[in-house]
Amino acid sequence: MATSPDPFNSRSSRKVPLNKDAVLSTALEIVDAEGLDGLTMRRLGQELRRDPMSLYRYAANRAALLDGVTEVVLDELTMFAEEPDWQAQLRGMAHDLRLLALRHPNVVALLVTRPLSTPLGLRPLGTLRPLEQILGLLIGAGFSPTEALHAYRAYYGFLYGHILNELRECIVDPEENEALLRLGLHRLPAKDFPHLRALGPVLANYEGDVELDQGLTILLSGLAAQLQRKDR
Amino acid sequence: MATSPDPFNSRSSRKVPLNKDAVLSTALEIVDAEGLDGLTMRRLGQELRRDPMSLYRYAANRAALLDGVTEVVLDELTMFAEEPDWQAQLRGMAHDLRLLALRHPNVVALLVTRPLSTPLGLRPLGTLRPLEQILGLLIGAGFSPTEALHAYRAYYGFLYGHILNELRECIVDPEENEALLRLGLHRLPAKDFPHLRALGPVLANYEGDVELDQGLTILLSGLAAQLQRKDR
DNA sequence: GACAACTTCTCTACGACGTAGACTTTACGG
DNA sequence: CCGTAAAGTCTACGTCGTAGAGAAGTTGTC
């Protein structure tokens, strides 16, 4: 007994050994389709038609698997759009990251929280590449290295914040055409939340890219002003 | 057999029945001390000297427990600092939230990700109160409700982003006095990450409150400009 | 072909987790 | 003293991550 459930298993598909990329990309598929909790070693093993234990050859443990998934996602970022000036580039990269987040909303929680307790230098290199890239961009634009760092922080802070905000703006029941109900706002006590309830219709049609762009305009104009002040 | 391990247990301490607040606040203590994963039903039960199952009287399940913890934390926010103008108020609230985050870094992941898939209207009211409050503040300052919403989003987006950024800037080995080593940056290949490595010393002494304030200055000046433009 | 070394994958098993369901203990009002 | 409701406990199930030993398949050497 103890034959494998699928004879196919022990022949053709096993011939091709797994590799890390294959493991990580199907892991990502599972996360996209079923959420973070949906990704278990057993579930992933099933998807790859392997014993769950075999996965430990490609990821030291589940945490490492999750780190790998974030790296795969970050690699989707188009590295360099050639844009005229640094502001346009930052704008473009922001929109790219936003779209990436929308494509993999379940991974955003990882992107944001996984490295929380991992010191900068020990993080997967994929996570650090955008940082290095933007530093170069800003320094090239005329900021001093230190200023570039501060600017980067303001920029990325805002960007991540926006993405989190946008992902939160999700809908209870898209079929419902009454804005209040669609967002579940009817549950709020009217006297404690007058403004929020009044904004129901506005809240209901959120346009993330416009919202992001407006925020960027504020931020970038602030940064540009700083750069000008310095030029004099 | 099957006597409780501690006779004290069945007498004095059981006399006072548990209540939700007690459960949530010790849950918070555990999260602060041992991280999110450290908070299990069994661990919390042990801390409260109760059977883990008894907790289900005060929280429907673990997820609800976590939601409860975020509410407890948000309740720590001082509600209204009386400041001269709206900008100063936003500044003050931002710093308050930052300090809150530093006090409970492990909860930040919750604050940021828990409501990710919970529609706005269904979230714990504690989560929504700051939103309502800031809307009121901005509308009072002269923004239209819709503008206030956009301004809020830019503000909170930046704020959350900053907090996440700051929490990430943690140290490998505080004893190490060489900046590069302290951050673990020596691991980075020098040719791929020239700027990042060069910034080692600057990265090493991060001052979160200054950083936050600079970002706020940029953001608030942008918002004020928008308000002025409208006045004319 | 024989055999060994190495890679890849599987089996079995353990302890920890969340929690369903039935039960026991406690407090109290009549 | 009894009934009732609230608070807490016990037992048990299924699922999870993963340690450790070993099986199967692949490759190199003579």
Side-chain angles (χ1 to χ4, degrees), chain A residues 100-135:
Chain A
L100 184 73
L102 293 184
R103 243 176 293 139
H104 306 288
N106 295 329
V107 185
V108 170
L110 273 187
L111 242 47
V112 154
T113 58
R114 268 301 308 168
L116 262 193
S117 42
T118 315
L120 207 134
L122 300 183
R123 288 181 217 152
L125 295 188
T127 318
L128 296 177
R129 208 156 288 132
L131 166 53
E132 174 68 24
Q133 179 183 347
I134 292 181
L135 285 179

Side-chain angles (χ1 to χ4, degrees), chain B residues 88-202:
Chain B
Q89 274 202 41
L90 287 183
R91 234 179 247 276
M93 295 173 61
H95 283 285
D96 280 351
L97 189 62
R98 169 176 175 271
L99 291 177
L100 185 72
L102 293 184
R103 243 176 294 140
H104 307 288
N106 296 328
V107 186
V108 170
L110 272 187
L111 242 50
V112 154
T113 59
R114 266 301 308 167
L116 262 192
S117 43
T118 315
L120 206 135
L122 300 184
R123 289 183 216 149
L125 295 189
T127 318
L128 297 176
R129 207 155 288 132
L131 166 52
E132 175 68 23
Q133 180 184 345
I134 291 181
L135 286 178
L137 179 63
L138 290 171
I139 291 172
F143 290 93
S144 79
T146 304
E147 290 167 337
L149 179 61
H150 292 303
Y152 161 83
R153 282 175 177 151
Y155 167 78
Y156 245 67
F158 167 73
L159 182 51
Y160 267 98
H162 167 84
I163 286 171
L164 284 172
N165 264 345
E166 178 166 357
L167 286 180
R168 283 203 255 217
E169 308 265 349
C170 62
I171 265 78
V172 175
D173 176 11
E175 301 297 314
E176 176 61 54
N177 51 6
E178 181 67 33
L180 266 190
L181 294 178
R182 194 155 35 158
L183 291 161
L185 290 179
H186 57 287
R187 209 189 49 123
L188 300 184
K191 76 169 173 12
D192 290 338
F193 296 92
H195 303 113
L196 200 45
R197 286 186 62 127
L199 278 168
V202 187

